[in-house]
Amino acid sequence: MAAILKSLAIFLVIARGAYGECTLRNLQVRQYGTGKSLKGYHEYSVSIFNKCNELCVQSNVKLNCSGFQTVEKVEPSILRVSGDVCDLNNALPITSDATVNFRYAWSNSFHFNPIFSDIHCYKS
Ligand SMILES: *[C@@H]1O[C@H](CO)[C@@H](O)[C@H](O)[C@H]1NC(C)=O
């Protein structure tokens, strides 16, 4: 009995350790200039990846959009600007095999910083 409890405890610690690695920092933002210009502004393409363990989704993702401007319309269901904060993907979960992509155009690139997400890890 004690042996079973002990191995169960070890298993739980390991499982928790693996899930515990998923944080806001695992949302990776990559962008590049597309080389196109729009109304005289440079166009940029942004991809946001959830690099967490495959069992962990991140929803309700918010980015710091303080100072963000664009002359290219961005679909609000992908990136909704509200004041200094942007909601990503309509607050819907981003799984680890999914990326969220959008384009914008301005005189310089903007650094999108994730500031909030709800993380949910499923058991296998
Ligand atoms: C958002 O970015 C601005 C400008 O870089 C910064 O001053 C502010 O503290 C940031 N807000 C959060 C919540 O990180």
Side-chain angles (χ1 to χ4, degrees):
M1 186 65 185
I4 293 170
L5 283 179
K6 198 176 164 188
S7 50
L8 185 67
I10 290 168
F11 170 75
L12 287 176
V13 166
I14 292 167
R16 222 181 131 182
Y19 295 157
E21 285 166 19
C22 185
T23 72
L24 192 58
R25 285 164 195 263
N26 293 111
L27 282 175
Q28 194 178 92
V29 183
R30 287 189 217 156
Q31 69 176 310
Y32 63 89
T34 64
K36 291 184 193 159
S37 67
L38 228 111
K39 300 171 187 165
Y41 293 90
H42 307 294
E43 185 188 58
Y44 298 91
S45 174
V46 184
S47 297
I48 294 160
F49 302 77
N50 176 7
K51 304 290 271 185
C52 283
N53 179 293
E54 62 188 8
L55 301 172
C56 297
V57 300
Q58 300 211 37
S59 53
N60 220 352
V61 175
K62 295 183 190 305
L63 308 175
N64 188 345
C65 274
S66 172
F68 173 62
Q69 286 177 283
T70 178
V71 292
E72 182 169 353
K73 190 183 178 331
V74 183
E75 187 55 51
S77 62
I78 306 222
L79 187 81
R80 181 178 296 108
V81 184
S82 63
D84 287 347
V85 176
C86 284
D87 291 310
L88 194 66
N89 202 33
N90 245 347
L92 294 170
I94 303 167
T95 57
S96 58
D97 53 2
T99 59
V100 177
N101 304 292
F102 62 91
R103 291 176 172 215
Y104 69 98
W106 196 242
S107 40
N108 48 281
S109 64
F110 181 82
H111 185 73
F112 293 94
N113 219 7
I115 50 175
F116 181 84
S117 77
D118 283 324
I119 295 168
H120 190 90
C121 296
Y122 296 92
K123 290 175 188 160
S124 54

